[in-house]
PDB file of all heavy atoms in Angstrom:
ATOM      1  N   LEU A   1     -93.037 -74.544  -9.797  1.00  0.00           N
ATOM      2  CA  LEU A   1     -92.790 -73.343  -9.095  1.00  0.00           C
ATOM      3  C   LEU A   1     -92.841 -73.497  -7.703  1.00  0.00           C
ATOM      4  O   LEU A   1     -91.943 -73.064  -6.940  1.00  0.00           O
ATOM      5  CB  LEU A   1     -93.821 -72.205  -9.531  1.00  0.00           C
ATOM      6  CG  LEU A   1     -93.729 -71.619 -10.964  1.00  0.00           C
ATOM      7  CD1 LEU A   1     -94.999 -70.753 -11.329  1.00  0.00           C
ATOM      8  CD2 LEU A   1     -92.470 -70.780 -11.040  1.00  0.00           C
ATOM      9  N   VAL A   2     -93.803 -74.154  -7.121  1.00  0.00           N
ATOM     10  CA  VAL A   2     -93.976 -74.485  -5.622  1.00  0.00           C
ATOM     11  C   VAL A   2     -92.763 -75.280  -5.281  1.00  0.00           C
ATOM     12  O   VAL A   2     -92.139 -74.948  -4.129  1.00  0.00           O
ATOM     13  CB  VAL A   2     -95.299 -75.152  -5.385  1.00  0.00           C
ATOM     14  CG1 VAL A   2     -95.289 -75.599  -3.866  1.00  0.00           C
ATOM     15  CG2 VAL A   2     -96.399 -74.254  -5.592  1.00  0.00           C
ATOM     16  N   THR A   3     -92.281 -76.320  -5.910  1.00  0.00           N
ATOM     17  CA  THR A   3     -91.219 -77.109  -5.521  1.00  0.00           C
ATOM     18  C   THR A   3     -89.920 -76.296  -5.622  1.00  0.00           C
ATOM     19  O   THR A   3     -89.092 -76.440  -4.585  1.00  0.00           O
ATOM     20  CB  THR A   3     -90.959 -78.388  -6.685  1.00  0.00           C
ATOM     21  OG1 THR A   3     -92.268 -79.148  -6.588  1.00  0.00           O
ATOM     22  CG2 THR A   3     -89.796 -79.237  -6.420  1.00  0.00           C
ATOM     23  N   HIS A   4     -89.744 -75.456  -6.579  1.00  0.00           N
ATOM     24  CA  HIS A   4     -88.406 -74.557  -6.563  1.00  0.00           C
ATOM     25  C   HIS A   4     -88.491 -73.704  -5.357  1.00  0.00           C
ATOM     26  O   HIS A   4     -87.380 -73.572  -4.571  1.00  0.00           O
ATOM     27  CB  HIS A   4     -88.453 -73.832  -7.899  1.00  0.00           C
ATOM     28  CG  HIS A   4     -87.388 -72.756  -7.870  1.00  0.00           C
ATOM     29  ND1 HIS A   4     -86.108 -73.009  -8.006  1.00  0.00           N
ATOM     30  CD2 HIS A   4     -87.533 -71.420  -7.697  1.00  0.00           C
ATOM     31  CE1 HIS A   4     -85.484 -71.863  -7.881  1.00  0.00           C
ATOM     32  NE2 HIS A   4     -86.264 -70.955  -7.703  1.00  0.00           N
ATOM     33  N   TRP A   5     -89.581 -72.941  -5.218  1.00  0.00           N
ATOM     34  CA  TRP A   5     -89.470 -71.981  -4.108  1.00  0.00           C
ATOM     35  C   TRP A   5     -89.487 -72.564  -2.655  1.00  0.00           C
ATOM     36  O   TRP A   5     -88.990 -71.956  -1.827  1.00  0.00           O
ATOM     37  CB  TRP A   5     -90.703 -70.932  -4.316  1.00  0.00           C
ATOM     38  CG  TRP A   5     -90.430 -70.102  -5.407  1.00  0.00           C
ATOM     39  CD1 TRP A   5     -91.017 -69.957  -6.563  1.00  0.00           C
ATOM     40  CD2 TRP A   5     -89.379 -69.077  -5.481  1.00  0.00           C
ATOM     41  NE1 TRP A   5     -90.503 -69.053  -7.419  1.00  0.00           N
ATOM     42  CE2 TRP A   5     -89.386 -68.427  -6.784  1.00  0.00           C
ATOM     43  CE3 TRP A   5     -88.406 -68.642  -4.619  1.00  0.00           C
ATOM     44  CZ2 TRP A   5     -88.533 -67.506  -7.264  1.00  0.00           C
ATOM     45  CZ3 TRP A   5     -87.483 -67.602  -5.022  1.00  0.00           C
ATOM     46  CH2 TRP A   5     -87.640 -67.050  -6.311  1.00  0.00           C
ATOM     47  N   ALA A   6     -90.197 -73.744  -2.510  1.00  0.00           N
ATOM     48  CA  ALA A   6     -90.078 -74.421  -1.283  1.00  0.00           C
ATOM     49  C   ALA A   6     -88.652 -74.919  -0.824  1.00  0.00           C
ATOM     50  O   ALA A   6     -88.172 -74.692   0.238  1.00  0.00           O
ATOM     51  CB  ALA A   6     -91.001 -75.724  -1.307  1.00  0.00           C
ATOM     52  N   GLY A   7     -87.901 -75.292  -2.033  1.00  0.00           N
ATOM     53  CA  GLY A   7     -86.510 -75.571  -1.718  1.00  0.00           C
ATOM     54  C   GLY A   7     -85.701 -74.415  -1.388  1.00  0.00           C
ATOM     55  O   GLY A   7     -84.921 -74.401  -0.490  1.00  0.00           O
ATOM     56  N   VAL A   8     -85.961 -73.201  -2.000  1.00  0.00           N
ATOM     57  CA  VAL A   8     -85.395 -71.954  -1.700  1.00  0.00           C
ATOM     58  C   VAL A   8     -85.634 -71.560  -0.187  1.00  0.00           C
ATOM     59  O   VAL A   8     -84.768 -71.103   0.534  1.00  0.00           O
ATOM     60  CB  VAL A   8     -85.714 -70.842  -2.633  1.00  0.00           C
ATOM     61  CG1 VAL A   8     -85.197 -69.425  -2.163  1.00  0.00           C
ATOM     62  CG2 VAL A   8     -85.163 -71.139  -4.032  1.00  0.00           C
ATOM     63  N   ILE A   9     -86.929 -71.713   0.178  1.00  0.00           N
ATOM     64  CA  ILE A   9     -87.260 -71.289   1.525  1.00  0.00           C
ATOM     65  C   ILE A   9     -86.525 -72.228   2.553  1.00  0.00           C
ATOM     66  O   ILE A   9     -86.076 -71.806   3.583  1.00  0.00           O
ATOM     67  CB  ILE A   9     -88.781 -71.397   1.673  1.00  0.00           C
ATOM     68  CG1 ILE A   9     -89.486 -70.302   0.901  1.00  0.00           C
ATOM     69  CG2 ILE A   9     -89.146 -71.364   3.200  1.00  0.00           C
ATOM     70  CD1 ILE A   9     -90.936 -70.335   0.871  1.00  0.00           C
ATOM     71  N   LEU A  10     -86.422 -73.597   2.259  1.00  0.00           N
ATOM     72  CA  LEU A  10     -85.775 -74.475   3.154  1.00  0.00           C
ATOM     73  C   LEU A  10     -84.260 -74.079   3.281  1.00  0.00           C
ATOM     74  O   LEU A  10     -83.729 -74.324   4.391  1.00  0.00           O
ATOM     75  CB  LEU A  10     -85.975 -75.926   2.721  1.00  0.00           C
ATOM     76  CG  LEU A  10     -87.275 -76.612   3.120  1.00  0.00           C
ATOM     77  CD1 LEU A  10     -87.088 -78.124   2.685  1.00  0.00           C
ATOM     78  CD2 LEU A  10     -87.513 -76.481   4.510  1.00  0.00           C
ATOM     79  N   ASP A  11     -83.756 -73.622   2.079  1.00  0.00           N
ATOM     80  CA  ASP A  11     -82.198 -73.442   2.159  1.00  0.00           C
ATOM     81  C   ASP A  11     -81.925 -72.127   3.047  1.00  0.00           C
ATOM     82  O   ASP A  11     -80.980 -71.903   3.459  1.00  0.00           O
ATOM     83  CB  ASP A  11     -81.779 -73.153   0.694  1.00  0.00           C
ATOM     84  CG  ASP A  11     -81.623 -74.476   0.035  1.00  0.00           C
ATOM     85  OD1 ASP A  11     -81.702 -75.568   0.666  1.00  0.00           O
ATOM     86  OD2 ASP A  11     -81.646 -74.415  -1.240  1.00  0.00           O
ATOM     87  N   GLY A  12     -83.017 -71.267   3.042  1.00  0.00           N
ATOM     88  CA  GLY A  12     -82.960 -69.903   3.766  1.00  0.00           C
ATOM     89  C   GLY A  12     -82.267 -68.983   3.225  1.00  0.00           C
ATOM     90  O   GLY A  12     -81.586 -68.026   3.888  1.00  0.00           O
ATOM     91  N   GLY A  13     -82.057 -69.003   1.875  1.00  0.00           N
ATOM     92  CA  GLY A  13     -81.165 -67.891   1.090  1.00  0.00           C
ATOM     93  C   GLY A  13     -81.882 -66.678   1.195  1.00  0.00           C
ATOM     94  O   GLY A  13     -83.116 -66.384   1.740  1.00  0.00           O
ATOM     95  N   SER A  14     -81.228 -65.619   0.525  1.00  0.00           N
ATOM     96  CA  SER A  14     -81.749 -64.307   0.632  1.00  0.00           C
ATOM     97  C   SER A  14     -83.059 -64.038  -0.073  1.00  0.00           C
ATOM     98  O   SER A  14     -83.862 -63.170   0.129  1.00  0.00           O
ATOM     99  CB  SER A  14     -80.696 -63.185  -0.053  1.00  0.00           C
ATOM    100  OG  SER A  14     -80.421 -63.671  -1.404  1.00  0.00           O
ATOM    101  N   GLN A  15     -83.351 -65.034  -1.131  1.00  0.00           N
ATOM    102  CA  GLN A  15     -84.714 -64.917  -1.730  1.00  0.00           C
ATOM    103  C   GLN A  15     -85.858 -65.574  -0.932  1.00  0.00           C
ATOM    104  O   GLN A  15     -86.943 -65.530  -1.399  1.00  0.00           O
ATOM    105  CB  GLN A  15     -84.480 -65.540  -3.073  1.00  0.00           C
ATOM    106  CG  GLN A  15     -83.495 -64.854  -4.068  1.00  0.00           C
ATOM    107  CD  GLN A  15     -83.397 -65.441  -5.388  1.00  0.00           C
ATOM    108  OE1 GLN A  15     -83.729 -66.580  -5.658  1.00  0.00           O
ATOM    109  NE2 GLN A  15     -82.903 -64.674  -6.297  1.00  0.00           N
ATOM    110  N   ALA A  16     -85.458 -66.198   0.046  1.00  0.00           N
ATOM    111  CA  ALA A  16     -86.544 -66.894   0.953  1.00  0.00           C
ATOM    112  C   ALA A  16     -87.599 -65.994   1.333  1.00  0.00           C
ATOM    113  O   ALA A  16     -88.823 -66.448   1.645  1.00  0.00           O
ATOM    114  CB  ALA A  16     -85.997 -67.750   1.963  1.00  0.00           C
ATOM    115  N   ASN A  17     -87.350 -64.723   1.630  1.00  0.00           N
ATOM    116  CA  ASN A  17     -88.240 -63.794   2.166  1.00  0.00           C
ATOM    117  C   ASN A  17     -89.043 -62.868   1.201  1.00  0.00           C
ATOM    118  O   ASN A  17     -89.547 -61.762   1.521  1.00  0.00           O
ATOM    119  CB  ASN A  17     -87.528 -62.931   3.235  1.00  0.00           C
ATOM    120  CG  ASN A  17     -87.061 -63.755   4.303  1.00  0.00           C
ATOM    121  OD1 ASN A  17     -87.671 -64.683   4.819  1.00  0.00           O
ATOM    122  ND2 ASN A  17     -85.850 -63.486   4.717  1.00  0.00           N
ATOM    123  N   LEU A  18     -88.966 -63.272  -0.193  1.00  0.00           N
ATOM    124  CA  LEU A  18     -89.564 -62.397  -1.141  1.00  0.00           C
ATOM    125  C   LEU A  18     -91.103 -62.490  -1.097  1.00  0.00           C
ATOM    126  O   LEU A  18     -91.641 -63.444  -0.602  1.00  0.00           O
ATOM    127  CB  LEU A  18     -89.021 -62.952  -2.410  1.00  0.00           C
ATOM    128  CG  LEU A  18     -87.664 -62.706  -2.893  1.00  0.00           C
ATOM    129  CD1 LEU A  18     -87.356 -63.240  -4.203  1.00  0.00           C
ATOM    130  CD2 LEU A  18     -87.272 -61.266  -2.881  1.00  0.00           C
ATOM    131  N   ASP A  19     -91.620 -61.556  -1.647  1.00  0.00           N
ATOM    132  CA  ASP A  19     -93.083 -61.411  -1.827  1.00  0.00           C
ATOM    133  C   ASP A  19     -93.474 -62.446  -2.804  1.00  0.00           C
ATOM    134  O   ASP A  19     -92.784 -62.771  -3.737  1.00  0.00           O
ATOM    135  CB  ASP A  19     -93.434 -60.110  -2.250  1.00  0.00           C
ATOM    136  CG  ASP A  19     -95.000 -59.894  -2.616  1.00  0.00           C
ATOM    137  OD1 ASP A  19     -95.785 -59.874  -1.676  1.00  0.00           O
ATOM    138  OD2 ASP A  19     -95.212 -59.817  -3.798  1.00  0.00           O
ATOM    139  N   TYR A  20     -94.630 -63.071  -2.627  1.00  0.00           N
ATOM    140  CA  TYR A  20     -95.126 -64.170  -3.669  1.00  0.00           C
ATOM    141  C   TYR A  20     -95.158 -63.738  -5.035  1.00  0.00           C
ATOM    142  O   TYR A  20     -94.941 -64.520  -5.964  1.00  0.00           O
ATOM    143  CB  TYR A  20     -96.381 -64.759  -3.192  1.00  0.00           C
ATOM    144  CG  TYR A  20     -97.551 -63.997  -3.193  1.00  0.00           C
ATOM    145  CD1 TYR A  20     -98.347 -64.060  -4.395  1.00  0.00           C
ATOM    146  CD2 TYR A  20     -97.989 -63.033  -2.261  1.00  0.00           C
ATOM    147  CE1 TYR A  20     -99.618 -63.292  -4.531  1.00  0.00           C
ATOM    148  CE2 TYR A  20     -99.181 -62.212  -2.477  1.00  0.00           C
ATOM    149  CZ  TYR A  20     -99.970 -62.423  -3.531  1.00  0.00           C
ATOM    150  OH  TYR A  20    -101.073 -61.614  -3.677  1.00  0.00           O
ATOM    151  N   GLN A  21     -95.560 -62.367  -5.272  1.00  0.00           N
ATOM    152  CA  GLN A  21     -95.689 -61.963  -6.659  1.00  0.00           C
ATOM    153  C   GLN A  21     -94.165 -61.872  -7.306  1.00  0.00           C
ATOM    154  O   GLN A  21     -94.129 -62.008  -8.394  1.00  0.00           O
ATOM    155  CB  GLN A  21     -96.386 -60.668  -6.685  1.00  0.00           C
ATOM    156  CG  GLN A  21     -97.906 -60.871  -6.354  1.00  0.00           C
ATOM    157  CD  GLN A  21     -98.631 -59.507  -6.368  1.00  0.00           C
ATOM    158  OE1 GLN A  21     -98.053 -58.511  -5.951  1.00  0.00           O
ATOM    159  NE2 GLN A  21     -99.934 -59.528  -6.595  1.00  0.00           N
ATOM    160  N   ALA A  22     -93.233 -61.529  -6.429  1.00  0.00           N
ATOM    161  CA  ALA A  22     -91.848 -61.521  -6.975  1.00  0.00           C
ATOM    162  C   ALA A  22     -91.359 -62.808  -7.309  1.00  0.00           C
ATOM    163  O   ALA A  22     -90.490 -63.074  -8.144  1.00  0.00           O
ATOM    164  CB  ALA A  22     -91.010 -60.901  -5.918  1.00  0.00           C
ATOM    165  N   MET A  23     -92.042 -63.857  -6.663  1.00  0.00           N
ATOM    166  CA  MET A  23     -91.700 -65.317  -6.987  1.00  0.00           C
ATOM    167  C   MET A  23     -92.401 -65.785  -8.265  1.00  0.00           C
ATOM    168  O   MET A  23     -92.181 -66.839  -8.767  1.00  0.00           O
ATOM    169  CB  MET A  23     -92.111 -66.149  -5.857  1.00  0.00           C
ATOM    170  CG  MET A  23     -91.321 -65.964  -4.603  1.00  0.00           C
ATOM    171  SD  MET A  23     -91.836 -67.123  -3.425  1.00  0.00           S
ATOM    172  CE  MET A  23     -90.834 -66.488  -1.935  1.00  0.00           C
ATOM    173  N   GLY A  24     -93.400 -64.960  -8.760  1.00  0.00           N
ATOM    174  CA  GLY A  24     -94.161 -65.383  -9.948  1.00  0.00           C
ATOM    175  C   GLY A  24     -95.329 -66.202  -9.610  1.00  0.00           C
ATOM    176  O   GLY A  24     -95.793 -66.999 -10.445  1.00  0.00           O
ATOM    177  N   LEU A  25     -95.789 -66.082  -8.430  1.00  0.00           N
ATOM    178  CA  LEU A  25     -96.827 -67.074  -7.916  1.00  0.00           C
ATOM    179  C   LEU A  25     -98.192 -66.286  -7.738  1.00  0.00           C
ATOM    180  O   LEU A  25     -98.137 -64.973  -7.466  1.00  0.00           O
ATOM    181  CB  LEU A  25     -96.483 -67.614  -6.496  1.00  0.00           C
ATOM    182  CG  LEU A  25     -95.247 -68.384  -6.370  1.00  0.00           C
ATOM    183  CD1 LEU A  25     -94.967 -68.860  -4.869  1.00  0.00           C
ATOM    184  CD2 LEU A  25     -95.421 -69.714  -7.253  1.00  0.00           C
ATOM    185  N   SER A  26     -99.348 -66.930  -7.828  1.00  0.00           N
ATOM    186  CA  SER A  26    -100.627 -66.249  -7.622  1.00  0.00           C
ATOM    187  C   SER A  26    -100.838 -66.439  -6.103  1.00  0.00           C
ATOM    188  O   SER A  26    -100.068 -67.109  -5.344  1.00  0.00           O
ATOM    189  CB  SER A  26    -101.694 -67.069  -8.453  1.00  0.00           C
ATOM    190  OG  SER A  26    -101.796 -68.355  -7.918  1.00  0.00           O
ATOM    191  N   GLY A  27    -101.963 -65.760  -5.631  1.00  0.00           N
ATOM    192  CA  GLY A  27    -102.339 -65.938  -4.203  1.00  0.00           C
ATOM    193  C   GLY A  27    -102.552 -67.317  -3.839  1.00  0.00           C
ATOM    194  O   GLY A  27    -102.096 -67.890  -2.695  1.00  0.00           O
ATOM    195  N   GLY A  28    -103.263 -68.148  -4.660  1.00  0.00           N
ATOM    196  CA  GLY A  28    -103.539 -69.598  -4.348  1.00  0.00           C
ATOM    197  C   GLY A  28    -102.304 -70.508  -4.370  1.00  0.00           C
ATOM    198  O   GLY A  28    -102.109 -71.322  -3.595  1.00  0.00           O
ATOM    199  N   GLN A  29    -101.422 -70.098  -5.356  1.00  0.00           N
ATOM    200  CA  GLN A  29    -100.133 -70.898  -5.346  1.00  0.00           C
ATOM    201  C   GLN A  29     -99.260 -70.509  -4.118  1.00  0.00           C
ATOM    202  O   GLN A  29     -98.579 -71.483  -3.576  1.00  0.00           O
ATOM    203  CB  GLN A  29     -99.425 -70.596  -6.724  1.00  0.00           C
ATOM    204  CG  GLN A  29    -100.007 -71.059  -7.904  1.00  0.00           C
ATOM    205  CD  GLN A  29     -99.455 -70.563  -9.205  1.00  0.00           C
ATOM    206  OE1 GLN A  29     -98.747 -69.397  -9.188  1.00  0.00           O
ATOM    207  NE2 GLN A  29     -99.735 -71.219 -10.302  1.00  0.00           N
ATOM    208  N   ASN A  30     -99.383 -69.304  -3.668  1.00  0.00           N
ATOM    209  CA  ASN A  30     -98.632 -68.934  -2.451  1.00  0.00           C
ATOM    210  C   ASN A  30     -99.216 -69.764  -1.249  1.00  0.00           C
ATOM    211  O   ASN A  30     -98.470 -70.183  -0.392  1.00  0.00           O
ATOM    212  CB  ASN A  30     -98.731 -67.472  -2.241  1.00  0.00           C
ATOM    213  CG  ASN A  30     -97.804 -67.012  -1.110  1.00  0.00           C
ATOM    214  OD1 ASN A  30     -96.657 -67.280  -1.041  1.00  0.00           O
ATOM    215  ND2 ASN A  30     -98.457 -66.273  -0.166  1.00  0.00           N
ATOM    216  N   ASP A  31    -100.456 -69.855  -1.137  1.00  0.00           N
ATOM    217  CA  ASP A  31    -101.040 -70.621  -0.054  1.00  0.00           C
ATOM    218  C   ASP A  31    -100.576 -71.985  -0.140  1.00  0.00           C
ATOM    219  O   ASP A  31    -100.215 -72.670   0.910  1.00  0.00           O
ATOM    220  CB  ASP A  31    -102.670 -70.682  -0.183  1.00  0.00           C
ATOM    221  CG  ASP A  31    -103.213 -69.311   0.014  1.00  0.00           C
ATOM    222  OD1 ASP A  31    -102.523 -68.430   0.624  1.00  0.00           O
ATOM    223  OD2 ASP A  31    -104.386 -69.011  -0.440  1.00  0.00           O
ATOM    224  N   ILE A  32    -100.492 -72.700  -1.298  1.00  0.00           N
ATOM    225  CA  ILE A  32     -99.855 -74.051  -1.397  1.00  0.00           C
ATOM    226  C   ILE A  32     -98.436 -74.027  -0.933  1.00  0.00           C
ATOM    227  O   ILE A  32     -98.110 -74.876  -0.273  1.00  0.00           O
ATOM    228  CB  ILE A  32    -100.134 -74.508  -2.940  1.00  0.00           C
ATOM    229  CG1 ILE A  32    -101.477 -74.667  -3.273  1.00  0.00           C
ATOM    230  CG2 ILE A  32     -99.224 -75.812  -2.927  1.00  0.00           C
ATOM    231  CD1 ILE A  32    -101.816 -74.932  -4.755  1.00  0.00           C
ATOM    232  N   LEU A  33     -97.758 -72.975  -1.482  1.00  0.00           N
ATOM    233  CA  LEU A  33     -96.292 -72.929  -1.163  1.00  0.00           C
ATOM    234  C   LEU A  33     -96.106 -72.889   0.430  1.00  0.00           C
ATOM    235  O   LEU A  33     -95.288 -73.580   0.945  1.00  0.00           O
ATOM    236  CB  LEU A  33     -95.599 -71.812  -1.827  1.00  0.00           C
ATOM    237  CG  LEU A  33     -94.253 -71.441  -1.327  1.00  0.00           C
ATOM    238  CD1 LEU A  33     -93.235 -72.494  -1.622  1.00  0.00           C
ATOM    239  CD2 LEU A  33     -93.697 -70.077  -1.849  1.00  0.00           C
ATOM    240  N   ARG A  34     -96.875 -72.029   1.104  1.00  0.00           N
ATOM    241  CA  ARG A  34     -96.617 -71.891   2.564  1.00  0.00           C
ATOM    242  C   ARG A  34     -97.042 -73.267   3.335  1.00  0.00           C
ATOM    243  O   ARG A  34     -96.316 -73.659   4.091  1.00  0.00           O
ATOM    244  CB  ARG A  34     -97.564 -70.724   3.121  1.00  0.00           C
ATOM    245  CG  ARG A  34     -97.127 -69.393   2.647  1.00  0.00           C
ATOM    246  CD  ARG A  34     -97.788 -68.257   3.366  1.00  0.00           C
ATOM    247  NE  ARG A  34     -99.362 -68.630   3.161  1.00  0.00           N
ATOM    248  CZ  ARG A  34    -100.291 -67.670   3.302  1.00  0.00           C
ATOM    249  NH1 ARG A  34     -99.976 -66.496   3.869  1.00  0.00           N
ATOM    250  NH2 ARG A  34    -101.474 -68.051   3.291  1.00  0.00           N
ATOM    251  N   ALA A  35     -98.133 -73.860   2.835  1.00  0.00           N
ATOM    252  CA  ALA A  35     -98.374 -75.147   3.392  1.00  0.00           C
ATOM    253  C   ALA A  35     -97.397 -76.276   3.321  1.00  0.00           C
ATOM    254  O   ALA A  35     -96.974 -76.916   4.189  1.00  0.00           O
ATOM    255  CB  ALA A  35     -99.818 -75.706   2.961  1.00  0.00           C
ATOM    256  N   VAL A  36     -96.887 -76.290   1.992  1.00  0.00           N
ATOM    257  CA  VAL A  36     -95.854 -77.271   1.577  1.00  0.00           C
ATOM    258  C   VAL A  36     -94.613 -76.972   2.415  1.00  0.00           C
ATOM    259  O   VAL A  36     -93.985 -77.886   3.002  1.00  0.00           O
ATOM    260  CB  VAL A  36     -95.625 -77.290   0.159  1.00  0.00           C
ATOM    261  CG1 VAL A  36     -94.356 -78.008  -0.221  1.00  0.00           C
ATOM    262  CG2 VAL A  36     -96.783 -77.895  -0.612  1.00  0.00           C
ATOM    263  N   ALA A  37     -94.147 -75.742   2.357  1.00  0.00           N
ATOM    264  CA  ALA A  37     -92.912 -75.287   3.079  1.00  0.00           C
ATOM    265  C   ALA A  37     -92.949 -75.661   4.646  1.00  0.00           C
ATOM    266  O   ALA A  37     -92.001 -76.069   5.176  1.00  0.00           O
ATOM    267  CB  ALA A  37     -92.611 -73.840   2.884  1.00  0.00           C
ATOM    268  N   ASP A  38     -94.171 -75.311   5.230  1.00  0.00           N
ATOM    269  CA  ASP A  38     -94.276 -75.705   6.819  1.00  0.00           C
ATOM    270  C   ASP A  38     -94.166 -77.210   6.937  1.00  0.00           C
ATOM    271  O   ASP A  38     -93.451 -77.626   7.933  1.00  0.00           O
ATOM    272  CB  ASP A  38     -95.646 -75.202   7.316  1.00  0.00           C
ATOM    273  CG  ASP A  38     -95.721 -73.575   7.173  1.00  0.00           C
ATOM    274  OD1 ASP A  38     -94.655 -73.006   7.192  1.00  0.00           O
ATOM    275  OD2 ASP A  38     -96.991 -72.987   7.297  1.00  0.00           O
ATOM    276  N   ALA A  39     -94.755 -77.952   6.106  1.00  0.00           N
ATOM    277  CA  ALA A  39     -94.705 -79.386   6.250  1.00  0.00           C
ATOM    278  C   ALA A  39     -93.373 -79.822   6.064  1.00  0.00           C
ATOM    279  O   ALA A  39     -92.826 -80.726   6.639  1.00  0.00           O
ATOM    280  CB  ALA A  39     -95.761 -80.116   5.249  1.00  0.00           C
ATOM    281  N   ALA A  40     -92.628 -79.296   5.055  1.00  0.00           N
ATOM    282  CA  ALA A  40     -91.272 -79.620   4.722  1.00  0.00           C
ATOM    283  C   ALA A  40     -90.330 -79.317   5.838  1.00  0.00           C
ATOM    284  O   ALA A  40     -89.354 -80.101   6.123  1.00  0.00           O
ATOM    285  CB  ALA A  40     -90.827 -79.041   3.468  1.00  0.00           C
ATOM    286  N   ARG A  41     -90.537 -78.223   6.617  1.00  0.00           N
ATOM    287  CA  ARG A  41     -89.637 -77.895   7.767  1.00  0.00           C
ATOM    288  C   ARG A  41     -89.766 -78.934   8.804  1.00  0.00           C
ATOM    289  O   ARG A  41     -88.698 -79.372   9.262  1.00  0.00           O
ATOM    290  CB  ARG A  41     -90.037 -76.521   8.167  1.00  0.00           C
ATOM    291  CG  ARG A  41     -89.481 -75.290   7.461  1.00  0.00           C
ATOM    292  CD  ARG A  41     -89.751 -73.999   8.174  1.00  0.00           C
ATOM    293  NE  ARG A  41     -89.682 -72.913   7.282  1.00  0.00           N
ATOM    294  CZ  ARG A  41     -90.721 -72.196   6.781  1.00  0.00           C
ATOM    295  NH1 ARG A  41     -91.963 -72.622   7.048  1.00  0.00           N
ATOM    296  NH2 ARG A  41     -90.482 -71.338   5.964  1.00  0.00           N
ATOM    297  N   ALA A  42     -91.010 -79.297   9.002  1.00  0.00           N
ATOM    298  CA  ALA A  42     -91.294 -80.290  10.134  1.00  0.00           C
ATOM    299  C   ALA A  42     -90.564 -81.585   9.667  1.00  0.00           C
ATOM    300  O   ALA A  42     -90.007 -82.377  10.521  1.00  0.00           O
ATOM    301  CB  ALA A  42     -92.793 -80.442  10.405  1.00  0.00           C
ATOM    302  N   GLU A  43     -90.737 -82.037   8.354  1.00  0.00           N
ATOM    303  CA  GLU A  43     -90.083 -83.194   7.867  1.00  0.00           C
ATOM    304  C   GLU A  43     -88.721 -83.208   7.916  1.00  0.00           C
ATOM    305  O   GLU A  43     -88.015 -84.345   8.242  1.00  0.00           O
ATOM    306  CB  GLU A  43     -90.626 -83.508   6.497  1.00  0.00           C
ATOM    307  CG  GLU A  43     -90.275 -84.860   5.905  1.00  0.00           C
ATOM    308  CD  GLU A  43     -91.009 -85.988   6.447  1.00  0.00           C
ATOM    309  OE1 GLU A  43     -92.000 -85.818   7.219  1.00  0.00           O
ATOM    310  OE2 GLU A  43     -90.602 -87.080   6.193  1.00  0.00           O
ATOM    311  N   GLU A  44     -88.039 -82.060   7.675  1.00  0.00           N
ATOM    312  CA  GLU A  44     -86.710 -81.947   7.580  1.00  0.00           C
ATOM    313  C   GLU A  44     -86.118 -82.151   9.102  1.00  0.00           C
ATOM    314  O   GLU A  44     -85.061 -82.829   9.315  1.00  0.00           O
ATOM    315  CB  GLU A  44     -86.185 -80.664   7.030  1.00  0.00           C
ATOM    316  CG  GLU A  44     -84.819 -80.535   6.958  1.00  0.00           C
ATOM    317  CD  GLU A  44     -84.246 -79.200   6.371  1.00  0.00           C
ATOM    318  OE1 GLU A  44     -85.112 -78.108   6.549  1.00  0.00           O
ATOM    319  OE2 GLU A  44     -83.354 -79.081   5.689  1.00  0.00           O
ATOM    320  N   ARG A  45     -86.815 -81.575  10.101  1.00  0.00           N
ATOM    321  CA  ARG A  45     -86.307 -81.751  11.375  1.00  0.00           C
ATOM    322  C   ARG A  45     -86.484 -83.159  11.879  1.00  0.00           C
ATOM    323  O   ARG A  45     -85.590 -83.706  12.565  1.00  0.00           O
ATOM    324  CB  ARG A  45     -87.090 -80.859  12.376  1.00  0.00           C
ATOM    325  CG  ARG A  45     -86.793 -79.350  12.352  1.00  0.00           C
ATOM    326  CD  ARG A  45     -87.554 -78.573  13.393  1.00  0.00           C
ATOM    327  NE  ARG A  45     -88.923 -78.616  13.386  1.00  0.00           N
ATOM    328  CZ  ARG A  45     -89.778 -77.686  12.612  1.00  0.00           C
ATOM    329  NH1 ARG A  45     -89.134 -76.818  12.027  1.00  0.00           N
ATOM    330  NH2 ARG A  45     -91.021 -77.852  12.700  1.00  0.00           N
ATOM    331  N   ALA A  46     -87.580 -83.768  11.456  1.00  0.00           N
ATOM    332  CA  ALA A  46     -87.820 -85.198  11.918  1.00  0.00           C
ATOM    333  C   ALA A  46     -86.915 -86.227  11.164  1.00  0.00           C
ATOM    334  O   ALA A  46     -86.390 -87.186  11.752  1.00  0.00           O
ATOM    335  CB  ALA A  46     -89.131 -85.578  11.777  1.00  0.00           C
ATOM    336  N   HIS A  47     -86.713 -86.136   9.786  1.00  0.00           N
ATOM    337  CA  HIS A  47     -86.200 -87.066   9.054  1.00  0.00           C
ATOM    338  C   HIS A  47     -85.095 -86.736   8.032  1.00  0.00           C
ATOM    339  O   HIS A  47     -84.617 -87.495   7.344  1.00  0.00           O
ATOM    340  CB  HIS A  47     -87.273 -87.802   8.210  1.00  0.00           C
ATOM    341  CG  HIS A  47     -88.342 -88.388   9.075  1.00  0.00           C
ATOM    342  ND1 HIS A  47     -88.155 -89.538   9.922  1.00  0.00           N
ATOM    343  CD2 HIS A  47     -89.603 -88.058   9.308  1.00  0.00           C
ATOM    344  CE1 HIS A  47     -89.252 -89.795  10.499  1.00  0.00           C
ATOM    345  NE2 HIS A  47     -90.107 -88.857  10.202  1.00  0.00           N
TER     346      HIS A  47
END
């Protein structure tokens, strides 16, 4: 789930701004998603 939604967030599609519950995530999974997506954005800019 985190891998899927992190890809959606990086793509910047219309679903990238959904509430975590609409994504089917728990609060803890959402925390993981936000950390992974932030790191992935930096990695995408660099590499």
Side-chain angles (χ1 to χ4, degrees):
L1 288 169
V2 169
T3 299
H4 170 76
W5 288 111
V8 169
I9 289 170
L10 280 186
D11 289 341
S14 62
Q15 294 181 344
N17 296 322
L18 292 176
D19 178 73
Y20 71 94
Q21 290 175 331
M23 294 178 184
L25 302 174
S26 68
Q29 291 167 339
N30 186 53
D31 293 340
I32 294 170
L33 172 62
R34 289 186 313 192
V36 168
D38 289 344
R41 281 189 199 105
E43 185 71 12
E44 184 177 32
R45 283 190 299 270
H47 301 288

